Amino acid sequence: MSLSFADPAMAQVEKKAGLLRRSSASKKPLKEKVVLMYDEIFAKDDPAKNNPRFWEELFLMKVNLEYLEGKLESLDGDEVMKIKDNINSLFQHCIQALSEEHQIKVVNALQTLCALFRGVHQKNKSTSGFDIINMLMGFDKAELRMKDLMESLDNLLCGEGSESLKSLCLKLLLCLVTVTDNISQNTILEYVMINSIFEAILQILSLTPSRVQHGYDTVVLLALLVNYRKYESVNPYIVKLSIVDDETTLDGMGMVISQALTEYNRQYKDKEEENQGGFFSAFTNMVGSMFIADAEEKLSVQTNEAILLALYEAVHLNRNFITVLAQSHPEIDIASTPTTPVPTTPTTPLGTTPPSLDMMNSPELPLDPNLQTSNLLITFLKYSSIVMQDTKDEHRLNSARLCLIILTCIAEDQYANAFLHDDNMNFRVNLHRMPMRHRKKAADKNIPSRPLVCAVLDLMVEFIVTHMMKEFPMDLYMRCVQVIHKLICYQKKCRIRLHYTWRELWAALINLLKFLLSNETTLLAKHNIFQLALMVVNLFNMFITYGDTFLPTPSSYDELYYEIVRMHQVFDNLYCMVLRVSTNAGQWKEPASKVTHALVNVRAIINHFNPKIESYAAVNHISQLSEDQVLEVVRSNYDTLTLKLQDGLDQYERYSEQPKEAAFFKELVRSISVNVRKNVSLNTLSQDVLLKEFSSIS
């Protein structure tokens, strides 16, 4: 029995339903045949009772997704339970249709399944997962139904069939994974864990044609599956991802991630160039304005978090993936590369479009000796330099945090450090720098070719210099300083003398201390600034104590002392502040006293050299010494300087996701799930295109 048009609850559904035609104003519009058949399913009786060919006919009809989803949403709990058997039957026949040779039936079954998953979940978001399982397939049959469904999807993904059909299977899986905001509450995913499609995912990523077509959806799907109840139980996707050692598959995954980030970087650069010049150039050069929503378009980094999450999981879980970061390939300007048009991609915000081209899919890439080479790590560093510029918005803050977490994992990996510091692997890395009043925009051509660790340090220095603001991103600063510390620990351990402009780093760190001092009261209301100050002071202690093992030349060591003496006022003020706080009873007493102890060698240097410099100036009747004169005083007075040996400066706590980062990842995955759900519409694979493709196949 179908609901009448007068029913207000169904008014919207009927309005959305596909109509054949309106014969005249006085007559009711005619319903599509498929809508009439849906109405039979939503009646209490078995629709096949009077028509034995009902299910066969249904899957030959073009699916009306909106009507089917809307109808499910509109029913209340009691009404749903009355038609549970029919819904179970529809679900069962969908799965059976997936094995049909008739491709149109398979297409319609996949789309119907998606409408069922979405409609039942939307109907009552508070419904527990178990009720949804009962509603869709019945408790007693659920295990068998889901086993059959996952096997059919696996066969379709791994078979020789149509690429459109594979794309539809991935859309269905993404739809199934993201029907709940919190994927760990989606009980149906238990069956996706038991009946793993991990091998199908690997196959897609390892074969060039399928990777080009489906790599983006596959990588996002894998990132989400890895995060299902990852802290509560053994997740087979985590276990399997951590042991993948097939080079082709890992390279394939790297290419997909690299392509998505490259596409984002290119779009950003294009927008930046569009905004150069003109009255608003001062504003549009500021990165924040790159993301200001326009009436038509929102330049959002939000949905690229899915690709970042995939990169994080690969780097964090799989040691073998680290080698992929360094795989060199020519840096291709995607804009000038002929792309294959893909009619299935809707217009989406910046960074959300699944890439339509795999720039590395051809083994015959021209190896022009003048062509700059790139790799996934460089692409990621450029991407990070964009998203880390503006952290005022929650999504951008999350992206920046995730970039720094990925860099943390890289900075403590032995192999990653080996290629980061390799003198034979030099690259020009053009990082995006925030335009600031007191510095000129650096010309791209002036960037020297250096080991990649220099670009990582540049990125950290850039962040330190550009985020001293009222809404102080304390967490990001801590991570930033930790990355620098880990890199220096590696240099000290391996005695690598990196030719880097260390003075820029020292100046940035001293300015950071100065900022903490100037804003003590405001910042202490929200943050333990002593923890950050201690980390910064200990970085200086690393240079003071071990600098002779990793600074490039003896003169670099002299410059370090020169910088400390020159900026002694900042260190003096810091000492007065921490001494004041540590001698008063209060919550900051202990962390402040740690900074007091950490400053012992910095203060020894200042107290030793300052009188010597003043004496030299007095003897030589010079009111202001030049840098060279001060350096001369420093060099000739090392012998009488006494420093204390400080323990544990080159020790650090290794990164661990659980428990410290668990809350962050839980919220991040929720945000990605919501976003993927919005963007994954089965209508992106136009039904007309699909039906046309399969209409000739019987």
Side-chain angles (χ1 to χ4, degrees):
M1 185 180 80
S2 63
L3 297 169
S4 73
F5 277 85
D7 185 346
M10 283 307 298
Q12 194 60 29
V13 178
E14 296 291 358
K15 190 176 161 188
K16 284 202 244 178
L19 304 174
L20 286 174
R21 67 178 187 272
R22 293 179 184 273
S23 52
S24 74
S26 60
K27 290 185 181 177
K28 275 188 179 180
L30 295 174
K31 284 187 179 181
E32 287 178 87
K33 173 83 184 289
V34 75
V35 169
L36 293 170
M37 294 183 85
Y38 290 154
D39 286 345
E40 286 188 58
I41 294 169
F42 284 94
K44 276 184 263 182
D45 296 332
D46 177 1
K49 194 163 73 174
N50 299 322
N51 178 6
R53 290 177 53 80
F54 178 87
W55 297 111
E56 200 174 323
E57 287 172 13
L58 178 69
F59 294 108
L60 288 169
M61 305 271 169
K62 181 179 171 182
V63 179
N64 188 323
L65 285 166
E66 282 186 311
Y67 186 83
L68 186 52
E69 276 184 57
K71 193 95 172 175
L72 280 163
E73 281 178 53
S74 69
L75 301 176
D76 65 33
D78 291 339
E79 288 174 312
V80 168
M81 288 317 292
K82 284 174 189 168
I83 58 159
K84 183 180 91 68
D85 290 346
N86 285 357
I87 299 292
N88 286 179
S89 196
L90 173 59
F91 193 88
Q92 179 193 349
H93 283 94
C94 282
I95 293 168
Q96 287 172 358
L98 294 181
S99 309
E100 293 269 3
E101 283 183 32
H102 203 311
Q103 300 287 279
I104 284 181
K105 286 186 176 181
V106 180
V107 169
N108 288 329
L110 287 167
Q111 295 194 330
T112 305
L113 280 167
C114 193
L116 275 173
F117 283 128
R118 284 203 297 229
V120 168
H121 275 89
Q122 284 299 116
K123 185 201 76 60
N124 183 1
K125 287 197 171 181
S126 62
T127 306
S128 76
F130 292 104
D131 289 341
I132 286 166
I133 289 170
N134 194 29
M135 177 68 232
L136 284 172
M137 44 199 136
F139 289 134
D140 52 337
K141 302 280 196 316
E143 208 167 309
L144 179 65
R145 295 279 181 268
M146 285 303 295
K147 181 174 181 286
D148 291 345
L149 172 61
M150 296 308 292
E151 279 178 6
S152 295
L153 292 175
D154 192 71
N155 291 335
L156 288 166
L157 287 170
C158 296
E160 297 288 314
S162 146
E163 296 304 327
S164 304
L165 212 52
K166 290 180 182 181
S167 190
L168 202 51
C169 287
L170 287 165
K171 294 272 189 271
L172 172 61
L173 284 162
L174 282 169
C175 164
L176 168 58
V177 173
T178 61
V179 283
T180 54
D181 293 358
N182 179 351
I183 63 171
S184 294
Q185 288 176 350
N186 183 354
T187 328
I188 295 176
L189 289 188
E190 282 297 329
Y191 300 107
V192 183
M193 295 294 126
I194 298 163
N195 305 288
S196 170
I197 48 152
F198 188 79
E199 281 66 31
I201 286 171
L202 293 192
Q203 184 177 310
I204 289 168
L205 293 174
S206 63
L207 301 172
T208 303
S210 64
R211 184 183 67 243
V212 174
Q213 293 262 5
H214 315 298
Y216 188 88
D217 282 351
T218 306
V219 163
V220 171
L221 176 65
L222 179 58
L224 289 168
L225 288 172
V226 160
N227 279 278
Y228 173 73
R229 294 191 178 170
K230 60 169 16 174
Y231 308 122
E232 300 154 40
S233 56
V234 177
N235 178 321
Y237 291 86
I238 292 179
V239 177
K240 290 180 178 183
L241 177 58
S242 66
I243 56 174
V244 174
D245 58 0
D246 179 65
E247 205 176 314
T248 317
T249 307
L250 293 172
D251 284 352
M253 183 187 272
M255 286 175 189
V256 172
I257 295 167
S258 182
Q259 179 60 35
L261 298 181
T262 301
E263 177 68 14
Y264 180 91
N265 293 350
R266 185 187 65 77
Q267 287 182 38
Y268 177 87
K269 198 175 177 189
D270 289 351
K271 283 283 163 197
E272 198 178 37
E273 283 167 9
E274 270 177 41
N275 289 330
Q276 294 298 324
F279 179 73
F280 289 110
S281 64
F283 297 100
T284 52
N285 275 342
M286 293 296 286
V287 149
S289 65
M290 276 300 308
F291 298 99
I292 289 172
D294 179 292
E296 265 66 51
E297 179 179 33
K298 188 170 190 294
L299 298 175
S300 163
V301 292
Q302 181 185 352
T303 43
N304 240 43
E305 289 167 2
I307 280 291
L308 266 193
L309 179 67
L311 175 59
Y312 164 74
E313 296 296 359
V315 167
H316 179 231
L317 294 174
N318 191 303
R319 290 294 311 279
N320 303 310
F321 189 80
I322 292 288
T323 60
V324 175
L325 293 172
Q327 294 284 355
S328 292
H329 57 75
E331 191 168 56
I332 293 174
D333 181 0
I334 300 179
S336 63
T337 313
T339 63
T340 314
V342 176
T344 63
T345 306
T347 307
T348 47
L350 175 60
T352 67
T353 314
S356 57
L357 162 84
D358 187 336
M359 68 180 174
M360 283 104 32
N361 67 349
S362 167
E364 292 86 31
L365 281 172
L367 288 169
D368 180 343
N370 300 315
L371 194 64
Q372 164 73 2
T373 54
S374 187
N375 56 38
L376 174 53
L377 184 60
I378 292 173
T379 306
F380 168 65
L381 289 173
K382 287 182 180 177
Y383 174 83
S384 300
S385 72
I386 295 171
V387 299
M388 282 164 62
Q389 286 180 50
D390 179 16
T391 56
K392 292 184 187 76
D393 165 280
E394 187 192 351
H395 289 295
R396 277 166 248 154
L397 184 69
N398 284 342
S399 281
R401 183 174 291 144
L402 190 47
C403 286
L404 284 166
I405 290 174
I406 293 167
L407 283 170
T408 301
C409 294
I410 291 169
E412 61 183 46
D413 183 275
Q414 286 290 101
Y415 181 81
N417 265 307
F419 74 75
L420 279 175
H421 291 87
D422 190 339
D423 237 348
N424 300 312
M425 289 174 67
N426 292 335
F427 297 91
R428 254 180 217 95
V429 184
N430 179 21
L431 298 175
H432 290 261
R433 283 157 63 90
M434 196 187 289
M436 296 174 82
R437 278 179 306 220
H438 61 275
R439 68 177 185 190
K440 290 179 183 174
K441 189 167 168 34
D444 298 351
K445 290 174 183 140
N446 297 340
I447 300 164
S449 194
R450 305 172 295 170
L452 276 175
V453 68
C454 296
V456 180
L457 289 167
D458 281 351
L459 182 63
M460 299 300 97
V461 170
E462 176 66 12
F463 182 85
I464 291 169
V465 170
T466 54
H467 288 77
M468 295 179 215
M469 53 198 183
K470 197 167 79 173
E471 288 300 314
F472 187 68
M474 178 74 169
D475 172 67
L476 302 190
Y477 268 97
M478 299 276 290
R479 294 176 193 278
C480 213
V481 175
Q482 282 168 348
V483 168
I484 297 167
H485 181 236
K486 287 174 182 182
L487 294 172
I488 292 174
C489 286
Y490 179 81
Q491 290 163 27
K492 178 252 171 185
K493 179 182 152 194
C494 300
R495 294 183 170 265
I496 293 168
R497 297 190 183 280
L498 185 69
H499 288 273
Y500 182 71
T501 47
W502 291 111
R503 281 180 95 155
E504 285 185 14
L505 172 63
W506 300 330
L509 293 171
I510 291 168
N511 279 327
L512 175 56
L513 290 176
K514 198 172 171 183
F515 176 81
L516 296 180
L517 285 165
S518 307
N519 298 277
E520 177 197 345
T521 315
T522 321
L523 292 173
L524 271 179
K526 292 183 182 176
H527 310 291
N528 175 3
I529 60 171
F530 302 106
Q531 196 181 358
L532 180 57
L534 179 65
M535 290 165 69
V536 172
V537 171
N538 277 337
L539 270 186
F540 279 102
N541 285 329
M542 277 286 289
F543 283 101
I544 293 164
T545 311
Y546 302 118
D548 58 332
T549 64
F550 63 84
L551 284 171
T553 59
S555 63
S556 320
Y557 206 66
D558 304 336
E559 285 168 6
L560 168 68
Y561 281 58
Y562 171 80
E563 209 60 36
I564 291 170
V565 172
R566 187 176 74 86
M567 299 302 287
H568 72 89
Q569 198 65 58
V570 175
F571 292 107
D572 291 344
N573 292 345
L574 177 64
Y575 182 72
C576 291
M577 189 260 268
V578 291
L579 194 63
R580 166 173 48 82
V581 176
S582 64
T583 49
N584 293 332
Q587 69 176 119
W588 306 120
K589 184 180 170 74
E590 195 185 332
S593 66
K594 284 182 182 174
V595 183
T596 315
H597 297 308
L599 279 165
V600 63
N601 282 340
V602 174
R603 296 190 69 244
I605 291 166
I606 293 166
N607 294 336
H608 176 75
F609 287 107
N610 258 356
K612 302 273 192 294
I613 291 164
E614 285 165 15
S615 168
Y616 180 91
V619 169
N620 293 284
H621 308 291
I622 304 169
S623 59
Q624 198 166 358
L625 299 185
S626 67
E627 183 175 330
D628 287 340
Q629 287 167 327
V630 174
L631 285 169
E632 186 51 47
V633 175
V634 168
R635 284 188 202 103
S636 54
N637 285 283
Y638 275 132
D639 297 349
T640 50
L641 172 66
T642 309
L643 297 175
K644 284 190 178 174
L645 190 62
Q646 291 175 305
D647 293 328
L649 291 173
D650 57 346
Q651 305 297 311
Y652 58 80
E653 188 184 344
R654 288 188 68 81
Y655 171 78
S656 169
E657 184 183 315
Q658 170 78 336
K660 283 186 181 175
E661 312 292 350
F664 166 68
F665 279 102
K666 194 175 174 184
E667 280 311 305
L668 181 76
V669 172
R670 178 189 288 270
S671 160
I672 291 169
S673 177
V674 170
N675 213 354
V676 169
R677 184 168 67 238
K678 281 180 196 163
N679 285 311
V680 172
S681 161
L682 282 179
N683 295 328
T684 56
L685 268 175
S686 160
Q687 285 183 311
D688 294 334
V689 171
L690 285 164
L691 293 173
K692 189 177 177 185
E693 181 179 341
F694 298 121
S695 58
S696 58
I697 304 168
S698 59

